[in-house]
Amino acid sequence: HKLMVVTNEEVDAKFLHYMLPRANKNAFLIAKIGDWESLSLLPGKANIYFNQTIVGSTDINPSVLADTMEITMGRDQGIVSTRKKIDEKQQKSNFGKNLLKTYTFEIKVKNGTKATTNLTLEDQIPVTDNEEIIIELVEKSGAKFNEHTGKITWEFELKPGEEKIIKFSYSLEHDKDKP
């Protein structure tokens, strides 16, 4: 099959990096495009070029109601992370037959590129509808926390060569006789 250029548009975009270290050690470069409605886009596939190199393709869906269109520009091998559990404690709680477990995780992020980057880093703690189980975020290192989804989000700037260490902890309390 042949490729044919239907239209070629240059647009202003804000760039940020997104990381989910528990799923992938690399960051993904995201382009946020405002005022995209003025481009009169048709639904379909589009190739994405970055620095004159094709980095992938995306589906354009102009029926999306968001003001900003987000396009993934691919992995950035220069921004890497590690995530590991560094502590796990177990003790009896104040309520007698309950068990309290606390888990602590450490995420290290390093910017190996020559540019300062805006980074959005996400992780998650468990959530439950069971009222006999209590889960709490104990330490969030300045993150935004959504208690309904368990999502923890950090947003920060990372300078060239900079490494940042983030720790978070959550506790899990339940009846010691129930799994």
Side-chain angles (χ1 to χ4, degrees):
H1 72 275
K2 291 186 175 186
L3 292 175
M4 181 178 77
V5 175
V6 175
T7 184
N8 190 355
E9 297 282 348
E10 277 193 36
V11 294
D12 288 327
K14 288 185 179 176
F15 291 94
L16 64 89
H17 284 85
Y18 170 82
M19 288 189 106
L20 185 63
R22 65 190 173 93
N24 197 303
K25 69 175 188 159
N26 290 113
F28 288 84
L29 182 61
I30 308 283
K32 289 189 169 196
I33 303 167
D35 193 32
W36 60 271
E37 299 94 337
S38 65
L39 299 173
S40 300
L41 299 173
L42 297 172
K45 287 223 176 283
N47 289 327
I48 300 169
Y49 292 85
F50 187 65
N51 293 336
Q52 286 78 46
T53 304
I54 189 166
V55 293
S57 63
T58 189
D59 287 309
I60 293 179
N61 182 1
S63 64
V64 172
L65 298 175
D67 292 340
T68 304
M69 180 184 285
E70 291 188 4
I71 299 175
T72 302
M73 308 295 282
R75 284 187 185 161
D76 189 332
Q77 307 287 345
I79 301 176
V80 294
S81 67
T82 58
R83 177 190 188 268
K84 62 182 178 182
K85 182 165 58 172
I86 58 170
D87 196 20
E88 183 177 330
K89 292 179 183 161
Q90 183 170 303
Q91 64 192 53
K92 286 187 177 177
S93 77
N94 299 332
F95 299 111
K97 66 178 205 164
N98 279 5
L99 201 58
L100 180 69
K101 297 176 185 173
T102 305
Y103 303 93
T104 303
F105 291 84
E106 179 182 85
I107 300 171
K108 285 184 186 177
V109 184
K110 178 154 176 128
N111 182 358
T113 70
K114 294 179 179 170
T116 298
T117 183
N118 293 315
L119 185 64
T120 298
L121 181 71
E122 282 187 2
D123 213 298
Q124 190 168 12
I125 68 168
V127 291
T128 182
D129 291 333
N130 186 338
E131 293 176 4
E132 295 177 4
I133 300 173
I134 301 166
I135 302 171
E136 290 183 349
L137 183 62
V138 178
E139 170 59 48
K140 62 181 184 175
S141 295
K144 293 177 191 165
F145 176 56
N146 183 325
E147 60 186 48
H148 300 292
T149 63
K151 187 165 40 170
I152 314 166
T153 307
W154 295 268
E155 293 177 354
F156 52 89
E157 191 177 85
L158 205 58
K159 292 181 173 39
E162 184 179 0
E163 181 177 89
K164 189 167 182 75
I165 297 174
I166 292 172
K167 291 181 184 174
F168 71 95
S169 302
Y170 68 91
S171 64
L172 178 71
E173 186 175 336
H174 62 91
D175 185 325
K176 69 177 178 11
D177 298 326
K178 294 183 181 177

